[in-house]
Amino acid sequence: MDLRLSGQVAVVTGASKGIGLAVVSTLLAEGARVVAASRGSSPGLEELAGDDLVHVAVDLMEPSAPGLVVARAVEEFGGLDILVNNAGGPPPGVTLPRSSFFEAGDDDWRTVFELNLFSVVRAVRAAVPLMLRRGGGAIVNVSSGNARQPSQMNVDYGAAKAGVNNLTKALSEEFGPQGIRVNTVSPGPVRTPWWTKQGGAADVIASMTGSDRDSVMDRLAPEMMRLTTGRLVDPQEVADAVALLASPRSASTTGADFVVDGGFLKAV
């Protein structure tokens, strides 16, 4: 299917690995021009290097950073059509999951909200005026199943992502009549570095359960989270949903939440 993204200009945050890297690769394959934002580059991002890809090294927790990334899209490609707010998860130096509400203090909550909610707010604030000048655009905010499924694990993260969902609905109502569609994609547990890196979620859960990291990712985590598919989600599966929502083929989809979670959410 042609997603009709050829020549479109996109900003993707958290772009060097995992879901973000898959989104960048997918948008490039569809003919889009992409500004990829992350703290540093990666071998995967470097493999995609070309005239249609610009990497911006920024810390999106810095208040000025999202605006700088959006401005770079104008500088390099003349405008902005698509914004994918993917940056999120554990802030630098933070290990998730936490197993209790009491494991996170005020500073922990602030840093989680800075990365997972406030960076989204700031990126949207910078992007919307540019999209309005072009007659519209698409914003896709990567949320989480934890936004809708409260848990004692990662309470601060779930609350921040719930804020992203609420923000998305509000933005879709205000700017939909002006041609800007705003949607969320809510992954379940995705096999990304959050899980796979040394000291990541797989190792944390392995230490809690007396298991090993491979068993956690292959069997224990899907069982604990009651995933219908019996496996963690692949980043490309999330990227495909993001690309579809960014596409003009989704012209009547706004204010929606696309769930790509392996059956994690059970409620109607």
Side-chain angles (χ1 to χ4, degrees):
M1 178 189 293
D2 178 8
L3 295 182
R4 292 157 44 191
L5 292 174
S6 182
Q8 297 271 293
V9 179
V11 163
V12 180
T13 67
S16 64
K17 57 191 176 183
I19 294 170
L21 180 60
V23 170
V24 171
S25 176
T26 302
L27 293 178
L28 288 171
E30 291 292 332
R33 295 172 289 176
V34 180
V35 174
S38 59
R39 289 183 181 84
S41 188
S42 66
L45 199 56
E46 290 167 5
E47 288 177 7
L48 300 174
D51 293 341
D52 290 332
L53 175 63
V54 173
H55 176 247
V56 182
V58 291
D59 179 356
L60 288 161
M61 294 173 65
E62 292 291 333
S64 62
L68 294 174
V69 176
V70 170
R72 189 67 179 277
V74 178
E75 177 186 339
E76 296 288 342
F77 299 126
L80 182 65
D81 304 293
I82 299 164
L83 171 64
V84 180
N85 284 306
N86 168 71
V94 174
T95 298
L96 296 180
R98 299 186 176 102
S99 61
S100 168
F101 166 77
F102 285 106
E103 289 186 16
D106 284 357
D107 288 341
D108 298 312
W109 277 77
R110 289 189 190 98
T111 56
V112 165
F113 268 64
E114 279 289 345
L115 179 59
N116 289 280
L117 179 58
F118 298 153
S119 69
V120 176
V121 171
R122 292 164 182 148
V124 169
R125 188 181 291 141
V128 164
L130 298 175
M131 291 180 174
L132 291 175
R133 290 177 204 164
R134 289 163 83 93
I139 298 173
V140 183
N141 297 322
V142 178
S143 183
S144 167
N146 288 117
R148 293 164 54 186
Q149 180 59 57
S151 168
Q152 70 185 45
M153 298 184 75
N154 304 331
V155 178
D156 47 353
Y157 173 76
K161 290 300 191 181
V164 170
N165 285 21
N166 189 290
L167 172 68
T168 298
K169 284 284 191 181
L171 293 169
S172 71
E173 284 296 304
E174 180 171 358
F175 298 108
Q178 301 172 72
I180 299 177
R181 297 180 300 103
V182 192
N183 296 285
T184 54
V185 172
S186 289
V190 183
R191 193 179 281 263
T192 66
W194 179 348
W195 284 85
T196 61
K197 70 180 181 181
Q198 293 297 319
D203 286 335
V204 172
I205 294 173
S207 67
M208 291 177 177
T209 59
S211 184
D212 62 85
R213 63 195 329 269
D214 289 335
S215 295
V216 166
M217 288 186 283
D218 293 340
R219 178 184 56 81
L220 189 57
E223 289 177 357
M224 290 171 61
M225 302 181 79
R226 299 178 58 216
L227 301 185
T228 306
T229 60
R231 62 174 177 83
L232 301 184
V233 178
D234 185 272
Q236 186 61 53
E237 295 167 332
V238 183
D240 290 341
V242 170
L244 180 60
L245 287 172
S247 164
R249 289 188 175 275
S250 296
S252 290
T253 304
T254 192
D257 181 29
F258 273 39
V259 175
V260 187
D261 69 353
F264 169 66
L265 291 175
K266 307 297 185 184
V268 175

